[in-house]
Amino acid sequence: MTGDPISPVAALRRIAFLLERAREDTYKVKAFRSAAATILPLTEDELSGHVADGTLTDLPGIGASSGTVITQAWRGEVPERLAALEKQYAGPLAAGGRELRSALRGDLHSHSDWSDGGSPIEEMAFTAIELGHDYLVLTDHSPRLKVARGLSAERLGRQLGVIDAVNTHLGDGFRLLKGIEVDILDDGSLDQSDEMLARLDVRVASVHSKLAMDPAAMTRRMVAAVGQPFTNVLGHCTGRLVTGNRGTRPGSQFDARAVFEACVAHDVAVEINSRPERRDPPTKLLELARDLGCLFSIDSDAHAPGQLDMLDYGCERAEAAGIEPERIVNTWPADRLLAWANR
Ligand SMILES: [Zn+2]
Ligand SMILES: [Zn+2]
């Protein structure tokens, strides 16, 4: 980071990005994101007036620390908070996987505030563009996942209209793609109608319930899900949590060979979920899927814009497992990805 001037909005967004990327608590981040949203529509004169009068904190969503950031940026200084975070957090997240990371063209798994993500659709798209992605698949949750405000068919239909509108504003060079993280129901069917699934570009299917199911039943459930005509990616296959503020839990037990063979047979990619609290699949299963010839998708599963950068972790693991970039579907250009996902 140089000492170049940065606009107040850019400073607030960058601070939020760095905090999210470092997995800081969302309440710390929210202050900066809401302050950015408050000043974005202000004219230069309005903003200058508030800085000059010291009345920034009278505006909704602006507190002492975001007010200081705005004031310092407005004066042409690098805000102290930003400088400190750049120093502390801006380095690469993982030591390995750099080459693979630069080969990735997009991300197939992300959430907005339409389900359990923390930011609006357009903010996820802007950040994906800033990270150099050619595409981002928005995959909010399906109806059954009520705790995550899963989208009904009706809300998903409305979201598709919003995605079209966002793409119109973004212009060429980047595509926000339509997707879903659809729950795998107990019998292996998917938690959204075929009619809606057909309107999407990419579908990630994941188990979010009854993770401790008997292994034989879980195998049948997952094999059935992988065989559904619309399934493209098998999300975080074991569901394990290895660290983080949600606590830890063991992964589901199932016949991984049978499930990954089904993935090969149905041309479904196995997700390498980059979230440090998931690190899913575990290394032994990752190597089994590699040996069986599976395709992979390295996904961020981002629930906030800064978390889109977590792909570093998945790339490090994929590289360590010796998985060729060609077998990773998000190294493919968008057109090839879409042809694969909608064959
Ligand atoms: Zn999930
Ligand atoms: Zn997810």
Side-chain angles (χ1 to χ4, degrees):
M1 181 92 201
T2 65
D4 289 342
I6 183 168
S7 78
V9 170
L12 293 165
R13 287 185 68 242
R14 177 73 184 163
I15 288 171
F17 174 87
L18 289 168
L19 290 169
E20 287 160 355
R21 183 177 181 270
R23 291 186 296 142
E24 287 285 0
D25 286 331
T26 25
Y27 77 89
K28 270 198 190 174
V29 183
K30 266 229 145 62
F32 296 102
R33 292 232 173 257
S34 34
T38 297
I39 62 167
L40 186 62
L42 299 184
T43 65
E44 202 142 316
D45 283 351
E46 286 169 334
L47 185 62
S48 300
H50 285 295
V51 173
D53 304 348
T55 53
L56 275 173
T57 51
D58 293 349
L59 298 172
I62 299 185
S65 65
S66 56
T68 303
V69 169
I70 294 166
T71 303
Q72 292 174 343
W74 181 84
R75 287 188 192 134
E77 302 159 12
V78 176
E80 285 165 47
R81 183 70 190 272
L82 176 58
L85 288 172
E86 292 285 1
K87 213 179 206 173
Q88 189 183 356
Y89 287 143
L93 292 173
R98 305 305 303 158
E99 205 174 314
L100 181 53
R101 174 67 198 269
S102 63
L104 295 188
R105 294 169 187 259
D107 192 340
L108 271 53
H109 188 164
S110 68
H111 299 274
S112 73
D113 61 5
W114 282 57
S115 65
D116 59 349
S119 279
I121 294 171
E122 61 275 16
E123 186 62 43
M124 296 299 287
F126 293 149
T127 304
I129 292 169
E130 288 162 358
L131 288 175
H133 289 350
D134 296 343
Y135 50 85
L136 172 69
V137 187
L138 183 66
T139 55
D140 278 315
H141 289 287
S142 65
R144 240 265 303 257
L145 206 57
K146 291 205 165 57
V147 289
R149 299 180 58 241
L151 273 59
S152 63
E154 192 263 326
R155 283 182 71 217
L156 179 58
R158 271 196 285 139
Q159 184 180 70
L160 300 188
V162 173
I163 293 175
D164 285 334
V166 169
N167 276 322
T168 307
H169 284 285
L170 295 178
D172 298 337
F174 174 84
R175 268 198 278 183
L176 183 62
L177 297 176
K178 296 165 181 171
I180 188 171
E181 183 179 15
V182 63
D183 264 44
I184 296 174
L185 301 176
D186 295 359
D187 63 355
S189 58
L190 303 181
D191 182 33
Q192 190 48 275
S193 67
D194 282 356
E195 189 196 353
M196 288 311 295
L197 292 172
R199 294 175 61 188
L200 305 176
D201 296 312
V202 177
R203 310 96 188 148
V204 177
S206 309
V207 170
H208 290 118
S209 61
K210 296 197 188 164
L211 268 70
M213 199 178 229
D214 157 72
M218 184 57 100
T219 304
R220 281 195 300 275
R221 179 184 183 186
M222 292 175 74
V223 167
V226 164
Q228 299 293 339
F230 287 107
T231 303
N232 302 127
V233 178
L234 176 62
H236 50 68
C237 65
T238 76
R240 72 173 183 171
L241 292 176
V242 293
T243 181
N245 55 14
R246 291 164 69 191
T248 61
R249 69 178 174 226
S252 302
Q253 298 295 312
F254 53 90
D255 179 346
R257 176 174 290 269
V259 171
F260 294 151
E261 280 176 350
C263 288
V264 174
H266 295 282
D267 212 14
V268 166
V270 173
E271 177 181 79
I272 299 174
N273 190 294
S274 298
R275 300 191 66 90
E277 60 269 45
R278 289 197 179 274
R279 229 179 294 149
D280 207 357
T283 302
K284 277 210 164 58
L285 294 196
L286 185 60
E287 291 172 352
L288 177 64
R290 174 200 65 196
D291 294 343
L292 292 172
C294 290
L295 292 174
F296 295 93
S297 175
I298 301 178
D299 295 344
S300 69
D301 196 358
H303 285 69
Q307 295 174 4
L308 288 166
D309 213 16
M310 287 184 180
L311 291 175
D312 284 12
Y313 296 117
C315 288
E316 183 177 49
R317 297 192 65 225
E319 188 182 80
I323 295 165
E324 308 89 340
E326 179 57 22
R327 284 168 63 184
I328 299 166
V329 297
N330 50 326
T331 65
W332 299 349
D335 289 341
R336 182 173 173 198
L337 178 86
L338 291 172
W340 162 76
N342 299 283
R343 67 262 178 196

